[in-house]
């Protein structure tokens, strides 16, 4: 049984096509070849340009989901921040569409892929542990699996991704919900500094001394240049108690009851992800990821563990081994996958029922079109203190309103479905001011829905830092 697919926390649909960015139309293949050759001639020996069908090109062009794969004219692996600067200057002066790939886990088509020039950050793969500074410096081409593996024996950890395969760069630039977020906040609340290549090619370090860029980079994704290194504040880390357990549809009522109670308790070491998925033969089934930041948990999960389970187990383990165990099975890699965001302020019985209903309704409906469709909703209860750890940042916009960044089913065909209201307003929760999480929000989401009252400031910062709109040549949310 392939229940680890639930860990994709997303909806997959094999039915989609999408358009290319407008800018590509003005660039024929000889224009692109000219730009690629110009880059190859300008960069140092630390970096290299690869053309289609070479092994390096094929390896680095690959994204986690096939919906985010595109055949670029060439692929460049920069090996130094200065070379990233050279590349940006050439892309800017030739107005060539490009994309920046960190871990390649983005689910919105074109956000880290392009028909123009693909920049792959894979050579930024170093991890430097500052034992006295209490920081860890992480290259923008790494995935969290790689980071946790290196940190495993050091006794320290950083606030990073929750399942296998997530890249450091997009996760961190978009906000970053972690198993440690109840205790320390989002990834953006745990940054000591960034090495940033500005859109004009200048390499700079951004820290809390930099008012505007510091605000913008913490949630504002790739609008202000290309981040090559992230400096994280580290935290002590020992063994944890964690695992995942799979339940059949019969147990959904019991799960609902204990989930509602769980949110009344306050234990910032305890974290859950409750995933609901639909399949033709099983209906709606559930996987719960359990995490406790100590080798033995308090009694907070006792009610959950009393529910009869179909499969799975929880035990004392290392942080790194646990995250690596949350690995989608190979046959589900490469699917077309889309996320959508469905913020709620709490998982009440009515909201839980609404998530079950939408998973079942869209699962059943879309399976009639394609048996392979999987509809998954991820419910992510966090502690009330989640947003109390940071200072003003692009995301989250409103620290006074705790919103939980649930995923919900999504596709082109149900894009207009008012997911946000169907779930949250099921019991009258008013989430009209809740910011959608940019790393979950479906392409086409208005900026205001994610960045609220920050949009105007972010647009001003963008205009000042990138007057030539170089970063506008890359996909993603654009200020
Ligand atoms: C490509 O476009 C350029 C203008 O951008 C033009 O000069 C050139 O002739 C075109 N090449 C081809 C093969 O169409
Ligand atoms: C834990 O559950 C997984 C998934 O069902 C299973 O593959 C594994 O063997 C189990 N491990 C133990 C120690 O029971
Ligand atoms: C379940 O969701 C569908 C689609 O949004 C809706 O039409 C239906 O009324 C819902 N059913 C219940 C019981 O909420
Ligand atoms: C569904 O998946 C199977 C196995 O991966 C594949 O052979 C089949 O072509 C897929 N069907 C569709 C409609 O994509
Ligand atoms: C939700 O709250 C906003 C203010 O935060 C208010 O303007 C709006 O009318 C409220 N909506 C509902 C349905 O109560
Ligand atoms: C690049 O942009 C930064 C920020 O706007 C500016 O301070 C710097 O002078 C620019 N560098 C060049 C060489 O234009």
């Amino acid at each position: 049984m392939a229940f680890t697919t639930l860990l994709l926390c997303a909806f997959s649909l094999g039915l989609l096509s999408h358009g290319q960015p407008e800018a590509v139309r003005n660039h024929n293949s000889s224009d692109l070849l000219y730009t690629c050759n110009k880059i190859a001639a300008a960069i140092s020996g630390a970096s290299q340009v690869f053309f289609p069908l070479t092994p390096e090109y094929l390896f680095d062009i690959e994204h986690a989901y096939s919906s985010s794969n595109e055949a670029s004219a060439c692929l460049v692996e920069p090996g130094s921040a200065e070379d990233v600067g050279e590349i940006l200057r050439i892309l800017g002066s030739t107005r060539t569409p490009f994309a920046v790939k960190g871990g390649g886990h983005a689910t919105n088509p074109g956000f880290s892929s392009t028909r123009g020039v693909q920049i792959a950050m894979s050579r930024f793969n170093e991890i430097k542990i500052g034992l006295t500074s209490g920081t860890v410096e992480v290259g923008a081409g790494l995935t969290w699996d790689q980071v946790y593996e290196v940190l495993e024996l050091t006794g320290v950890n950083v606030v990073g991704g929750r399942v296998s395969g997530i890249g450091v760069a997009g996760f961190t630039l978009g906000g970053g919900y972690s198993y440690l977020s109840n205790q320390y906040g989002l990834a953006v609340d745990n940054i000591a500094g960034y090495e940033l290549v500005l859109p004009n090619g200048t390499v700079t370090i951004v820290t809390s001394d930099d008012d505007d860029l510091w605000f913008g980079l913490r949630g504002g994704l790739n609008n202000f240049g290309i981040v090559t290194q992230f400096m994280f504040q580290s935290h002590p880390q020992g063994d944890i108690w964690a695992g995942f357990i799979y339940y059949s549809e019969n147990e959904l009522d019991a799960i609902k009851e204990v989930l509602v109670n769980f949110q009344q308790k306050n234990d910032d070491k305890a974290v859950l992800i409750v995933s609901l998925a639909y399949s033709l033969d099983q209906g709606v089934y559930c996987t719960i990821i359990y995490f406790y930041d100590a080798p033995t948990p308090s009694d907070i999960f006792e009610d959950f563990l009393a529910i009869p389970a179909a499969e799975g187990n929880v035990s004392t383990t290392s942080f790194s081994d646990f995250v690596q165990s949350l690995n989608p099975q190979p046959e589900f890699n490469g699917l077309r996958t889309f996320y959508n965001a469905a913020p709620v302020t709490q998982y009440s019985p009515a909201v839980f029922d609404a998530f079950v209903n939408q998973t079942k309704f869209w699962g059943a409906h879309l399976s009639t079109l394609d048996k392979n469709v999987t509809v998954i909703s991820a419910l992510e209860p966090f502690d009330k203190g989640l947003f109390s750890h940071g200072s003003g940042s692009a995301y989250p916009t409103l620290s006074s309103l705790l919103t939980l960044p649930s995923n919900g089913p999504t596709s082109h065909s149900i894009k207009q479905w008012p997911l946000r209201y169907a779930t949250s307003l099921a019991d009258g929760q008013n989430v009209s001011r809740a910011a959608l999480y940019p790393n979950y929000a479906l392409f086409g989401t208005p900026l205001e829905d994610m960045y609220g009252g920050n949009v105007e400031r972010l647009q001003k910062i963008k205009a000042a830092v990138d007057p030539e709109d170089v970063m506008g040549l890359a996909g993603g949310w654009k200020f």
Side-chain angles (χ1 to χ4, degrees):
M1 173 165 320
F3 64 89
T4 43
T5 51
L6 285 176
L7 308 171
L8 292 169
C9 298
F11 167 77
S12 314
L13 176 67
L15 297 172
L16 200 100
S17 69
H18 68 90
Q20 295 306 315
E22 292 291 310
V24 168
R25 285 201 214 125
N26 307 324
H27 286 260
N28 60 35
S29 53
S30 46
D31 289 335
L32 291 171
L33 187 62
Y34 169 82
T35 305
C36 292
N37 286 328
K38 196 165 168 164
I39 290 171
I43 52 182
S44 77
S47 308
Q48 204 172 342
V49 171
F50 297 102
F51 288 93
L53 305 185
T54 58
E56 295 88 348
Y57 173 97
L58 291 173
F59 176 78
D60 234 352
I61 203 85
E62 185 86 14
H63 285 65
Y65 304 113
S66 61
S67 36
S68 298
N69 284 342
E70 283 183 88
S72 64
C74 63
L75 177 143
V76 53
E77 290 177 0
S80 72
E82 289 68 28
D83 282 348
V84 173
E86 282 299 334
I87 295 164
L88 276 181
R89 277 192 283 268
I90 292 168
L91 294 170
S93 65
T94 56
R95 304 301 300 161
T96 303
F98 70 98
V100 191
K101 179 192 164 208
H105 204 272
T107 58
N108 282 326
F111 274 36
S112 65
S113 64
T114 179
R115 295 269 188 87
V117 173
Q118 177 79 58
I119 301 174
M121 299 301 283
S122 45
R123 296 191 184 197
F124 290 89
N125 59 3
E126 277 192 285
I127 299 172
K128 292 185 203 142
I129 302 160
L131 288 177
T132 51
S133 58
T135 58
V136 178
E137 191 179 324
V138 179
L142 290 163
T143 63
W144 287 109
D145 308 55
Q146 296 168 307
V147 176
Y148 296 144
E149 198 172 340
V150 168
L151 294 182
E152 167 111 305
L153 298 172
T154 64
V156 299
N157 201 359
V158 293
V159 174
R162 289 173 291 176
V163 299
S164 182
I166 310 279
V168 168
F171 172 90
T172 304
L173 288 168
Y177 288 87
S178 161
Y179 292 117
L180 306 176
S181 289
N182 286 338
Q183 297 177 77
Y184 311 121
L186 305 187
V188 291
D189 300 323
N190 289 276
I191 298 286
Y194 301 89
E195 182 181 74
L196 173 72
V197 183
L198 290 161
N200 65 12
T202 302
V203 181
T204 187
I205 301 289
V206 179
T207 67
S208 55
D209 294 340
D210 301 86
D211 191 31
D212 281 344
L213 277 175
W214 179 246
F215 178 85
L217 281 177
R218 289 178 306 133
L221 291 156
N222 69 0
N223 281 277
F224 310 107
I226 297 178
V227 172
T228 46
Q229 309 280 350
F230 296 85
M231 238 90 68
F232 288 92
Q233 283 148 12
S234 62
H235 300 284
Q237 182 71 61
D239 272 354
I240 57 165
W241 178 92
F244 52 95
I245 298 182
Y246 159 78
Y247 304 88
S248 75
E249 184 159 19
N250 297 337
E251 315 306 338
L252 289 178
D253 280 340
I255 290 168
K256 170 171 62 180
E257 192 183 324
V258 297
L259 175 63
V260 169
N261 289 338
F262 173 80
Q263 294 168 97
Q264 309 311 316
K265 302 178 182 167
N266 260 324
D267 183 342
D268 62 9
K269 291 181 159 53
V271 183
L272 289 174
I273 302 176
V274 178
S275 294
L276 303 167
Y278 177 86
S279 78
L280 269 178
D281 44 336
Q282 296 173 77
V284 175
Y285 57 107
C286 179
T287 298
I288 301 184
I289 295 176
Y290 295 92
F291 177 96
Y292 197 85
D293 193 11
T296 353
S298 68
D299 61 6
I300 191 162
F301 295 126
E302 257 172 19
D303 295 349
F304 279 102
L305 298 177
I307 299 171
E311 258 188 88
N313 44 66
V314 191
S315 61
T316 304
T317 178
S318 78
F319 199 97
S320 172
D321 285 352
F322 171 58
V323 171
Q324 279 177 32
S325 76
L326 303 178
N327 198 356
Q329 300 198 344
E331 66 264 34
F332 292 94
N333 283 333
L335 286 181
R336 293 169 181 236
T337 297
F338 306 98
Y339 289 1
N340 202 348
V344 303
T345 57
Q346 58 170 309
Y347 297 105
S348 64
V351 163
F352 186 89
D353 287 342
F355 271 105
V356 171
N357 177 50
Q358 69 172 19
T359 306
K360 182 180 279 180
F361 180 90
W362 290 108
H365 176 67
L366 295 169
S367 325
T368 62
L369 306 175
D370 177 352
K371 278 206 317 295
N372 292 350
V373 163
T374 310
V375 169
I376 300 173
S377 300
L379 282 51
E380 306 178 17
F382 281 94
D383 194 88
K384 293 182 181 58
L386 178 66
F387 292 151
S388 65
H389 302 274
S391 58
S393 50
Y395 177 86
T397 58
L398 269 182
S399 54
S400 58
L401 182 66
L402 174 65
T403 49
L404 306 165
S406 329
N407 275 304
T410 242
S411 85
H412 256 6
S413 54
I414 56 173
K415 194 173 154 192
Q416 301 311 320
W417 185 54
L419 175 73
R420 185 172 177 172
Y421 301 105
T423 52
S424 313
L425 299 185
D427 67 352
Q429 288 179 29
N430 186 346
V431 290
S432 66
R433 290 185 313 146
L436 303 190
Y437 180 33
N439 282 351
Y440 286 172
L442 183 64
F443 52 94
T445 299
L447 288 178
E448 284 71 17
D449 288 3
M450 296 171 284
Y451 296 100
N454 288 344
V455 171
E456 201 178 322
R457 179 172 178 195
L458 290 165
Q459 284 170 338
K460 281 197 183 121
I461 300 170
K462 164 73 169 65
V465 169
D466 189 12
E468 309 290 333
D469 194 23
V470 175
M471 296 314 295
L473 296 164
W477 308 119
K478 291 295 138 190
F479 301 129

